[in-house]
Amino acid sequence: MSRIFSGIQPSGELHIGNYLGAVKNWVTMQHQYNAYYCIVNYHAITVAYAPQDLLARTHEMAVGLLAAGIDENAATLFVQSQVPEHTELAWIFNTLTPLGELERQAQFKEKSGRQEQIMAGLLNYPVLQAADILLYRADLVPVGEDQIQHLELSRVVARNWNARFSPDQPLFPEPQPKLTQTRRIVGLDGQSKMSKSIGNTIGILESPEAIWDKLRPAVTDPARQKKTDAGDPDKCPVVYPLHKAFSPAATVSEVETHCRGATWGCIECKKSLHANVVAELAPIREKAAQLTAHPGRVTELLDSGADKARTIARETMRQVKDLMGLPAAVAP
Ligand code: AMP
Ligand code: TRP
């Protein structure tokens, strides 16, 4: 069975952008592939953060993922810093990554613009991402659209390493992204991608009341000033795409008719969406509550995930070092 890998930052809250853009695929694909899913805490420290919160956010992310359907018996779920081979391979890859490729990454340009001082770790972020994936020699990477450019870089790194150290029999595959139908979810502001750092998210564990408080003022077709103005669902940046993701097909076509015919106001449309979002998220919230009541169980599960991941990681590093003329680590 071929291997797949994906990662998510420990932002604490898993939001519906993560869920629809990536995690839904993680859940489906864990039954079709040998799946490794990683909470990437070393990526999270490339921007300023509060050390006293990081552990809790990491734990909450694990709870969110398990509640959303990651099954520890089907997939290996673990925390990046518990498998030191990730940073070890990243260093090696740094020696084979052209600086220009890193400087032109859209995420680096965007994030570095927000920093007073730009640290090398932010620039090298995608090199660590390449190491994450290639350590498991994964072919496919279920992610949202924003990660396509990072995966291109992972392929460059794999190609460069193979060409230099194993030209006859490439050690690393060139990993491809696997996107969902909803590869980019726009945030509640109707402008940017849904993102915790922008604060335009709906968390998958939020209460029905909290979700309604966020949906009610969400941006819709700007041409619809009042209920009697006809709308165009395709110009509705948030509510209509979320209907397509959460509501049955019959509801989606009902929404289209009522919007174009001005027979529903945006509030009615949002109420219908709210009911469908809440229905899909209810079992996830319930599962999360059970997991939160047993924090020791989640920690154990992550420790055993790291153990399993390390077996593969060690073997890859043994081969990498062997081919590069580097003595291997002494067995523990
Ligand atoms: P992050 O929270 O940045 O670590 O992202 C985790 C996963 O969710 C990645 O695969 C992202 O591509 C995906 N993702 C994050 N935000 C969105 C969004 N607004 N729409 C679709 N996918 C997203
Ligand atoms: N950069 C990814 C994001 O922000 C997270 C990530 C780190 C990742 N390593 C990865 C995703 C490896 C896929 C594979 O979402």
Side-chain angles (χ1 to χ4, degrees):
M1 219 189 326
S2 70
R3 284 196 207 118
I4 62 167
F5 182 97
S6 198
I8 189 161
Q9 299 204 44
S11 56
E13 177 200 58
L14 189 62
H15 58 71
I16 60 174
N18 302 135
Y19 175 66
L20 298 170
V23 175
K24 268 192 144 178
N25 261 351
W26 296 19
V27 173
T28 323
M29 292 170 85
Q30 67 186 343
H31 302 296
Q32 300 154 344
Y33 297 88
N34 197 349
Y36 289 80
Y37 300 137
C38 183
I39 302 176
V40 292
N41 52 353
Y42 277 144
H43 282 100
I45 64 170
T46 58
V47 292
Y49 76 101
Q52 66 277 18
D53 298 342
L54 185 58
L55 208 51
R57 288 197 276 123
T58 306
H59 197 273
E60 281 160 27
M61 183 51 76
V63 167
L65 290 169
L66 292 163
I70 302 303
D71 173 356
E72 75 271 22
N73 297 312
T76 303
L77 177 68
F78 69 103
V79 178
Q80 192 182 31
S81 67
Q82 291 193 286
V83 182
E85 285 77 8
H86 286 247
T87 43
E88 202 180 4
L89 186 58
W91 174 257
I92 289 173
F93 285 166
N94 270 318
T95 68
L96 293 159
T97 309
L99 188 57
E101 295 273 354
L102 295 175
E103 285 168 336
R104 69 182 184 81
Q105 294 287 316
Q107 187 176 303
F108 170 68
K109 288 199 248 174
E110 188 235 317
K111 283 195 182 171
S112 59
R114 288 193 241 146
Q115 306 289 310
E116 241 172 59
Q117 199 180 15
I118 302 160
M119 299 300 173
L122 190 63
L123 180 72
N124 293 337
Y125 177 113
V127 181
L128 179 58
Q129 183 161 348
D132 294 340
I133 300 163
L134 296 173
L135 200 46
Y136 302 89
R137 287 188 256 168
D139 296 298
L140 267 185
V141 185
V143 281
E145 187 182 73
D146 58 347
Q147 297 304 310
I148 290 178
Q149 199 186 19
H150 283 163
L151 286 185
E152 268 167 32
L153 186 93
S154 295
R155 293 196 289 279
V156 170
V157 170
R159 217 172 294 144
N160 287 355
W161 193 94
N162 288 337
R164 176 106 169 75
F165 300 108
S166 63
D168 302 329
Q169 212 181 356
L171 180 66
F172 294 118
E174 292 186 16
Q176 299 296 334
K178 170 79 181 160
L179 302 169
T180 62
Q181 299 272 320
T182 44
R183 44 166 61 199
R184 182 178 188 272
I185 298 294
V186 171
L188 292 165
D189 53 359
Q191 306 271 326
S192 335
K193 99 172 170 174
M194 185 172 283
S195 162
K196 182 82 192 267
S197 59
I198 301 173
N200 59 2
T201 60
I202 293 180
I204 61 160
L205 303 181
E206 287 195 72
S207 68
E209 297 74 27
I211 295 178
W212 177 245
D213 286 344
K214 287 182 166 184
L215 271 184
R216 193 174 27 82
V219 175
T220 53
D221 177 359
R224 275 201 98 176
Q225 297 290 336
K226 45 189 190 317
K227 194 174 162 177
T228 46
D229 294 336
D232 178 355
D234 294 322
K235 297 211 173 97
C236 178
V238 195
V239 178
Y240 181 60
L242 290 181
H243 259 299
K244 285 201 279 188
F246 284 103
S247 303
T251 307
V252 175
S253 62
E254 204 181 1
V255 162
E256 284 168 14
T257 314
H258 284 301
C259 179
R260 290 188 206 283
T263 41
W264 269 10
C266 292
I267 287 291
E268 278 160 298
C269 179
K270 287 171 175 176
K271 277 188 184 154
S272 149
L273 171 64
H274 178 255
N276 290 316
V277 171
V278 168
E280 179 152 348
L281 299 183
I284 299 180
R285 284 188 81 206
E286 208 170 293
K287 176 97 193 280
Q290 289 165 9
L291 290 160
T292 307
H294 300 99
R297 165 97 193 82
V298 175
T299 306
E300 258 172 45
L301 193 149
L302 290 173
D303 287 350
S304 105
D307 234 27
K308 277 201 262 170
R310 253 201 120 175
T311 311
I312 312 290
R314 278 211 191 95
E315 175 53 22
T316 302
M317 283 317 293
R318 193 192 58 73
Q319 294 189 50
V320 164
K321 287 183 169 176
D322 185 40
L323 287 160
M324 293 181 76
L326 303 164
V330 178

